């Protein structure tokens, strides 16, 4: 059993390391950044999207309505511009994550001595994207199945005394489909805009979460091959069907 678990762990690690930007259809560009206030500050979003397109990527702003062929969030990368500390110098780099928050690629750091923010940021991003351009991005048409392979591997090695819960069926074409992003204690469910719709906290059962939506606390439970958000309203149990892709 120990050998099998070791091999499974090694297999999962290999899957993680084999990920590349070429496995993803497009990139989502943020409109807000940790180190600058406001929407598209100093045109950071505009610069990032422009450089992504020059590098061959399909790119969309995070508040943009996505075409139907890009509705599977786990087939997309999520870009972010990060700022490094520097004395009398501006340092920026670009980070690409998958739908689970795992870093897939980090660019080299772009540096600028320009005093004006927008000019400095533009120079930094252009320099950071020199390393991105060298990737020669080209979507390889692969379906991102890493998460499903890992789930299958874990289930096959689970001791027979443990209850195995079947994963509810996901309808990718559902316009109300929510996407699960891992947090420290569970998940947050986002819609396609993307907007955080619900927060989930893990329990001792894999088929049940403490759920919070619009200030209402209830639970998200797997029943009849579907997920349901259940809570009490006026002393009556309310059960709402929720479509979720983990």
């Amino acid at each position: 059993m120990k050998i099998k678990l070791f091999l499974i762990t090694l297999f999962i690690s290999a899957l993680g390391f084999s990920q590349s930007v070429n496995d993803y259809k497009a990139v989502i560009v943020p409109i807000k950044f940790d180190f600058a206030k406001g929407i598209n500050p100093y045109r950071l979003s505009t610069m990032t999207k422009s450089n992504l397109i020059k590098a061959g990527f399909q790119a969309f702003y995070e508040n943009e309505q996505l075409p139907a062929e890009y509705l599977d969030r786990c087939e997309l990368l999520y870009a972010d511009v990060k700022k490094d500390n520097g004395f009398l110098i501006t340092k920026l780099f670009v980070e690409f994550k998958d739908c689970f928050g795992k870093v897939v690629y980090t660019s080299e750091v772009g540096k600028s001595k320009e005093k004006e923010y927008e000019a400095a940021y533009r120079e930094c991003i252009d320099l950071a994207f020199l390393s991105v351009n060298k990737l020669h991005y080209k979507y390889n048409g692969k379906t991102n199945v890493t998460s499903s392979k890992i789930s299958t591997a874990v289930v096959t090695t689970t001791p027979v005394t443990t209850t195995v819960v079947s994963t509810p069926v996901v309808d990718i074409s559902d316009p109300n489909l929510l996407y699960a992003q891992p947090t420290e204690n569970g998940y947050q469910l986002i819609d396609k805009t993307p907007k955080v719709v619900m927060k989930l906290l893990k329990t001792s059962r894999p088929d049940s979460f403490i759920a919070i939506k619009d200030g209402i606390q209830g639970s998200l439970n797997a029943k009849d091959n579907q997920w349901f958000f259940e809570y009490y309203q006026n002393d009556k149990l309310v059960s709402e069907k929720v479509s979720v892709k983990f």
Side-chain angles (χ1 to χ4, degrees):
M1 178 62 74
K2 289 183 178 180
I3 294 176
K4 288 179 68 177
L5 288 174
F6 172 76
L7 292 175
I8 291 296
T9 304
L10 189 63
F11 173 67
I12 293 171
S13 300
L15 283 174
F17 283 113
S18 66
Q19 285 182 293
S20 78
V21 296
N22 296 323
D23 296 336
Y24 300 86
K25 284 184 177 180
V27 182
I28 302 299
V29 180
I31 57 173
K32 291 184 178 181
F33 302 86
D34 292 339
F35 59 90
K37 295 181 180 180
I39 303 296
N40 193 13
Y42 305 104
R43 293 171 47 83
L44 277 165
S45 301
T46 304
M47 297 174 197
T48 303
K49 184 176 180 180
S50 176
N51 273 284
L52 283 166
I53 292 172
K54 288 178 183 177
F57 292 88
Q58 290 283 348
F60 303 95
Y61 295 120
E62 63 180 348
N63 61 346
E64 194 173 342
Q65 184 71 36
L66 298 180
E69 62 267 33
Y70 298 101
L71 292 183
D72 187 343
R73 290 275 163 178
C74 286
E75 292 183 345
L76 310 178
L77 279 174
Y78 299 83
D80 196 9
V81 177
K82 302 285 189 177
K83 188 174 184 179
D84 262 355
N85 294 327
F87 181 67
L88 299 179
I89 189 171
T90 302
K91 298 179 180 180
L92 300 180
F93 62 92
V94 185
E95 193 173 71
F96 297 84
K97 293 184 178 181
D98 64 14
C99 64
F100 296 105
K102 176 188 173 185
V103 177
V104 175
Y105 176 77
T106 302
S107 77
E108 293 180 1
V109 177
K111 304 175 183 179
S112 175
K113 293 183 179 180
E114 292 283 348
K115 304 299 182 184
E116 197 268 326
Y117 279 128
E118 185 169 333
Y121 291 161
R122 181 184 297 110
E123 184 177 8
C124 286
I125 289 179
D126 287 346
L127 290 173
F129 264 92
L130 291 178
S131 58
V132 178
N133 294 336
K134 291 178 182 178
L135 297 176
H136 302 294
Y137 167 80
K138 186 176 181 181
Y139 178 51
N140 57 27
K142 288 183 179 179
T143 300
N144 196 340
V145 294
T146 300
S147 58
S148 63
K149 285 184 179 178
I150 292 175
S151 298
T152 303
V154 173
V155 169
T156 55
T157 58
T158 302
V160 293
T161 54
T162 301
T163 301
V164 179
V165 179
S166 61
T167 303
V169 175
V170 179
D171 182 5
I172 299 297
S173 63
D174 187 345
N176 298 314
L177 181 64
L178 301 179
Y179 299 85
Q181 292 183 333
T183 60
E184 186 176 351
N185 299 313
Y187 299 90
Q188 63 179 15
L189 305 185
I190 63 170
D191 59 20
K192 61 185 178 182
T193 54
K195 171 190 173 185
V196 177
V197 176
M198 186 183 297
K199 292 186 178 181
L200 305 179
L201 299 176
K202 292 179 181 178
T203 67
S204 59
R205 295 183 51 173
D207 61 343
S208 182
F209 297 89
I210 296 171
I212 303 170
K213 178 185 178 184
D214 297 329
I216 299 173
Q217 181 168 318
S219 60
L220 186 73
N221 304 304
K223 295 190 302 183
D224 301 324
N225 217 25
Q226 301 289 342
W227 287 103
F228 291 90
F229 175 50
E230 299 181 326
Y231 58 96
Y232 277 92
Q233 187 176 61
N234 299 325
D235 295 325
K236 291 185 178 181
L237 179 64
V238 179
S239 184
E240 300 176 356
K241 180 181 173 183
V242 182
S243 185
V244 183
K245 179 177 176 59
F246 282 93

